Amino acid sequence: MKPIVATSNNGCNSSFGKVKIQIPDSRKIVAITLTEAPAEYTGTLPSDMMAFVNAEGIFIHNNLPVGVYKFFITDSCGDTYTVTVTVPVFVFG
């Protein structure tokens, strides 16, 4: 089983974007740590990201700088995942 990942740029020449990560089969994210981020990310690494997990156990962060991120996730069944995501640069449509 692999987490479902969706990313997008915030648009209009933004240097920020959105990341959404969820676990299939009604599993919830019970722990998520950001372990790698681009230089533009101003937080400390590793960083506990549970503040961005909603009541349904889905991670949603709407304001991450463009670049590549790596997350370490534990789900409600105790399975763990290392997920690499890329917040894309803005592309004029």
Side-chain angles (χ1 to χ4, degrees):
M1 176 176 339
K2 292 174 62 173
I4 299 165
V5 176
T7 61
S8 62
N9 186 277
N10 288 344
C12 296
N13 296 314
S14 176
S15 57
F16 292 87
K18 176 180 179 179
V19 173
K20 177 180 177 183
I21 304 172
Q22 66 188 94
I23 311 298
D25 298 336
S26 301
R27 294 184 185 198
K28 294 182 177 186
I29 293 173
V30 297
I32 181 167
T33 303
L34 178 61
T35 58
E36 294 179 27
E40 294 78 14
Y41 178 76
T42 58
T44 304
L45 296 176
S47 182
D48 180 352
M49 303 299 277
M50 280 303 292
F52 299 97
V53 176
N54 64 21
E56 289 79 38
I58 300 169
F59 172 81
I60 300 173
H61 196 306
N62 292 318
N63 205 30
L64 287 171
V66 167
V68 178
Y69 295 82
K70 190 173 283 188
F71 297 91
F72 184 75
I73 300 170
T74 304
D75 73 17
S76 52
C77 290
D79 290 329
T80 61
Y81 313 87
T82 298
V83 178
T84 302
V85 301
T86 301
V87 175
V89 297
F90 176 75
V91 176
F92 185 72

